[in-house]
Amino acid sequence: MRVWFGRLLADLHRGRSCLWLLPHSMLKPAGDRADRLMDEVLHELSDFVLLPSDERGTSASARPPAVLRPATTGRWSGLASVPDFDDGLPDLPTARSSEPSDPEPSALPSPAEALAGLLERLAKELGFNGDTDTVGSDPTGDVLAQLIRRGTGTAETRPLVVRAWREPVPSAAAHLLRRLVATAKEAGLPPDRRPRALVVASTDDLPTDLPAQLAREAIAVHWWWGATSRLDTATVVALARPPLVTATELGHLHEAVTQATITEVCGPFLDIAAALARRWDGGHPESLTSALHDVLTELPRPSRPVQWSEGTRHPGRRPDDRLLAAWNAGTVESWDGRLRRHPGYDLQYEQVVAGWVWLAQNHVLLPLLEDARERFTAIVRSRARGSLAQLAQDYGPRRESGRASESPDSAIAMMELGAMWSAHCDGAIPLAPTERRRLRVLREARNRLAHRVPLHGHRLRDLVEELCR
């Protein structure tokens, strides 16, 4: 995420106005992830103007006031009317028309009214008054003119950060963005003296083609797409994991496989990754599906199914139009150069989950298997019954036609685990029982991983033990 934030901040520091597009699912009142992301950006800005300025006050006042519905004609409840005197008994129900009506919001303001209201609140935040540097009867132009200063003073260069999803008409913030950029260009201000704005919104709140139009108008459009990296997920998982009971080499390696598996299975969905990291104590692959199911039942699950065709498999720099609805619903993301679905959908397909487990094991164990193979070549050399040249010729890697032959030492150094096992079975390399077991475990694990089959149960346990000897 730091790389993504760095690009956004670099544009702001260069004097560019930006539109930051977040999935609609992140802007729901029940969650606070959008606010936490906003805090990350605001922390990096030395000064800024935030609208709405206060979550409880301004955002509420920015919305249209509620009005009462007119009283409707009552219907008789079937009970006798209550005389208008106190008889010491509790009140009985009367006609439904006497019950107060629930408040109903009035119609939203027009786009022009919404923009005017946004600019009025902006003027108050900046301390502008009505008789400085106006350009006529246009209130929008008045505020923008004071931002630009029209050459009569220092322009207001603090970034104007607008949380559009909290505005009564979110598209008004995008209109402000366009007017501000156009006015700054017209004034001929250099980039370091231009007022600039950062508008945070969802595509659901804007006209469909507006982001593309803004990009053509030299406004930087940043999609929250591919912003979360493998390092972000791995960090969340590591922080959420319980401490090791026994901090041995064996325990550390098993924990590394467990954390890599959680990272790979959950991908960019950090809330699921953190919950699974806390829940999956043992880290046994055979219990992963059950633990993930338990986690998903306790977290909100998007309802929109995710389907994509071959033409949409590459993530690109923004969600494909065919994926836009799913992205807004929080069911698809770009992560580590691949499209990733919400784990709740992968859970329906056993082989998909097995593929993520295999990828995690391959990532952690394959380099260690290669180190173990290299170390075992010393045993092969010392135990060979015949000459090393004959051993290399019979069991070493095959030479391509016309390629010069390698030295026996080089050929044995590249001998595969399967070839070592064949040489042992043929009697060319006698091994002690512990050496035979070690070679068998390494060979079986390497073969399974090479065929995209994850290790479970005793196979994973035996391999971890051998790698830690």
Side-chain angles (χ1 to χ4, degrees):
M1 282 191 286
R2 302 309 307 168
V3 174
W4 192 95
F5 282 130
R7 296 194 191 104
L8 175 67
L9 291 166
D11 277 334
L12 288 174
H13 292 323
R14 284 196 294 263
R16 296 189 70 186
S17 290
C18 301
L19 173 65
W20 176 5
L21 293 171
L22 288 170
H24 186 74
S25 59
M26 294 178 61
L27 306 178
K28 294 179 179 179
D32 62 347
R33 191 176 176 199
D35 292 322
R36 285 185 276 121
L37 293 177
M38 287 287 298
D39 289 342
E40 291 283 341
V41 173
L42 299 181
H43 179 72
E44 298 296 329
L45 298 175
S46 57
D47 198 4
F48 55 87
V49 179
L50 182 63
L51 291 173
S53 59
D54 177 72
E55 181 177 353
R56 297 180 180 178
T58 309
S59 62
S61 62
R63 299 192 176 276
V67 296
L68 293 179
R69 289 197 300 259
T72 57
T73 304
R75 293 172 51 217
W76 183 49
S77 65
L79 299 175
S81 60
V82 180
D84 191 14
F85 64 90
D86 185 4
D87 58 1
L89 298 176
D91 291 340
L92 297 176
T94 57
R96 290 191 180 97
S97 60
S98 62
E99 297 177 359
S101 301
D102 294 331
E104 182 180 84
S106 63
L108 291 175
S110 67
E113 292 171 339
L115 179 58
L118 175 60
L119 286 164
E120 181 182 356
R121 285 181 280 120
L122 174 60
K124 290 180 179 178
E125 289 294 323
L126 296 174
F128 292 168
N129 51 57
D131 49 22
T132 59
D133 208 2
T134 62
V135 293
S137 59
D138 177 16
T140 301
D142 291 351
V143 177
L144 294 178
Q146 293 184 70
L147 282 170
I148 301 300
R149 298 295 184 182
R150 297 295 187 188
T152 61
T154 303
E156 176 60 70
T157 58
R158 287 181 295 172
L160 312 177
V161 182
V162 185
R163 296 173 288 188
W165 79 92
R166 290 184 175 165
E167 293 293 327
V169 180
S171 59
H175 294 318
L176 168 64
L177 193 62
R178 302 178 80 169
R179 291 284 300 268
L180 178 63
V181 171
T183 305
K185 286 183 177 180
E186 181 184 353
L189 295 176
D192 60 339
R193 290 192 56 214
R194 289 178 186 170
R196 57 200 186 276
L198 169 62
V199 171
V200 189
S202 163
T203 57
D204 281 358
D205 297 328
L206 305 175
T208 304
D209 57 348
L210 185 59
Q213 293 177 5
L214 294 177
R216 290 193 294 269
E217 296 172 7
I219 295 172
V221 178
H222 294 265
W223 295 76
W224 188 257
W225 176 253
T228 304
S229 68
R230 178 184 295 274
L231 179 60
D232 295 316
T233 310
T235 301
V236 167
V237 171
L239 292 174
R241 288 292 292 167
L244 288 174
V245 178
T246 56
T248 62
E249 185 180 0
L250 188 73
H252 279 295
L253 180 53
H254 182 75
E255 177 65 15
V257 175
T258 300
Q259 292 190 20
T261 302
I262 299 171
T263 299
E264 202 66 52
V265 168
C266 298
F269 301 92
L270 303 184
D271 55 342
I272 301 176
L276 183 59
R278 291 188 291 267
R279 165 89 57 166
W280 195 32
D281 293 333
H284 304 298
E286 52 270 24
S287 65
L288 171 64
T289 301
S290 175
L292 181 58
H293 181 272
D294 292 343
V295 164
L296 292 174
T297 57
E298 298 173 359
L299 294 174
R301 178 176 171 179
S303 58
R304 179 177 292 275
V306 182
Q307 296 179 350
W308 57 64
S309 62
E310 290 296 328
T312 59
R313 286 190 177 275
H314 191 275
R317 302 191 64 176
R318 49 150 291 181
D320 186 274
D321 290 341
R322 289 164 288 185
L323 296 175
L324 196 56
W327 173 70
N328 271 311
T331 60
V332 67
E333 253 294 351
S334 169
W335 186 78
D336 202 33
R338 304 191 304 271
L339 287 176
R340 289 299 305 266
R341 296 185 300 187
H342 189 278
Y345 298 104
D346 287 342
L347 192 58
Q348 305 174 40
Y349 306 99
E350 183 178 347
Q351 71 177 66
V352 174
V353 178
W356 299 133
V357 175
W358 167 81
L359 201 57
Q361 293 181 354
N362 216 41
H363 179 73
V364 176
L365 298 175
L366 201 58
L368 301 178
L369 273 169
E370 178 60 20
D371 291 342
R373 183 201 66 81
E374 290 180 358
R375 291 196 301 270
F376 207 87
T377 59
I379 298 176
V380 171
R381 290 188 183 93
S382 63
R383 299 296 177 86
R385 280 191 170 138
S387 66
L388 294 182
Q390 187 64 43
L391 183 66
Q393 181 179 347
D394 294 341
Y395 300 100
R398 295 179 180 179
R399 297 192 302 271
E400 297 179 3
S401 177
R403 184 178 178 181
S405 60
E406 297 175 344
S407 66
D409 279 340
S410 298
I412 292 175
M414 293 185 292
M415 187 181 295
E416 297 293 340
L417 292 167
M420 296 179 192
W421 181 256
S422 297
H424 167 67
C425 293
D426 294 342
I429 306 173
L431 297 174
T434 56
E435 295 167 343
R436 174 187 172 90
R437 180 184 185 278
R438 178 176 179 80
L439 181 58
R440 176 180 57 78
V441 170
L442 296 177
R443 169 185 166 272
E444 289 181 355
R446 183 65 180 85
N447 283 348
R448 292 181 72 86
L449 292 176
H451 289 87
R452 302 178 66 89
V453 179
L455 305 176
H456 293 85
H458 72 88
R459 286 192 174 91
L460 178 59
R461 184 172 56 254
D462 291 347
L463 176 61
V464 171
E465 289 176 356
E466 289 298 333
L467 292 175
C468 292
R469 291 186 189 277

